[in-house]
Amino acid sequence: MVDPDILLLAIVNMSEGVKALIGDKGAKAVLRDAGRQSGPKLLESLIGHFPEVLDKEEALRRACVILEDLGFAKVINKENGKIVIEEDIFTDAIMGENVADSPIIYFFAGLIEGFVSFMSDQKATLIPETVEKGKIIYKYS
């Protein structure tokens, strides 16, 4: 079985390869969409059909709890129109100093957006506001 840390490094490096192939904006768009597509599939595989339709705020709150429980970060909180993520797995796996330029940050945003779309009839859009090793803050609308 593949070590999860090795798999995570492969995914982060794959995102950098996509960036080299199609450019920064293209990679961010593709990886965000990949997250949006994989989020609902991941939730469905974990919990099956979602029994209710939530409003966007509650769906965001629950998405944070679920992703934290799954180990995507030590802390994920929804507060004042922002999603604050601490000690996440993605920024920790990015090689180099410029973590804000990595398109994997948009995969994480898309994953949260996909979770929300699975639980709600509303959409959320997350925009990175602060990105550094061990901390991501997304504004959402």
Side-chain angles (χ1 to χ4, degrees):
M1 180 139 189
V2 176
D3 181 282
D5 291 334
I6 299 299
L7 185 57
L8 178 62
L9 285 172
I11 292 168
V12 169
N13 289 327
M14 177 271 311
S15 77
E16 294 298 327
V18 172
K19 180 178 172 180
L21 181 65
I22 64 173
D24 185 52
K25 289 182 181 180
K28 289 174 180 176
V30 166
L31 286 162
R32 179 189 294 273
D33 193 56
R36 285 180 179 156
Q37 299 295 319
S38 64
K41 290 178 183 174
L42 175 59
L43 270 181
E44 187 174 26
S45 71
L46 293 171
I47 62 176
H49 175 72
F50 202 70
E52 58 186 311
V53 176
L54 305 174
D55 66 62
K56 180 170 65 175
E57 293 294 319
E58 180 60 15
L60 275 162
R61 188 191 70 75
R62 289 194 193 182
C64 292
V65 170
I66 293 167
L67 286 165
E68 185 178 301
D69 286 348
L70 291 174
F72 281 88
K74 190 169 224 169
V75 176
I76 306 177
N77 288 317
K78 181 181 92 54
E79 50 191 54
N80 302 321
K82 297 180 182 180
I83 305 295
V84 178
I85 302 169
E86 297 177 30
E87 296 185 47
D88 67 287
I89 62 171
F90 293 114
T91 60
D92 189 47
I94 296 169
M95 301 298 184
E97 298 300 316
N98 205 355
V99 295
D101 285 341
S102 177
I104 199 70
I105 302 309
Y106 288 84
F107 174 78
F108 203 4
L111 195 60
I112 296 167
E113 293 166 356
F115 274 38
V116 170
S117 73
F118 183 79
M119 295 184 276
S120 173
D121 59 358
Q122 299 173 309
K123 293 184 180 184
T125 301
L126 279 68
I127 306 296
E129 184 177 76
T130 302
V131 179
E132 55 193 51
K133 282 236 187 250
K135 187 167 191 173
I136 306 169
I137 300 174
Y138 295 108
K139 291 189 304 186
Y140 68 85
S141 58

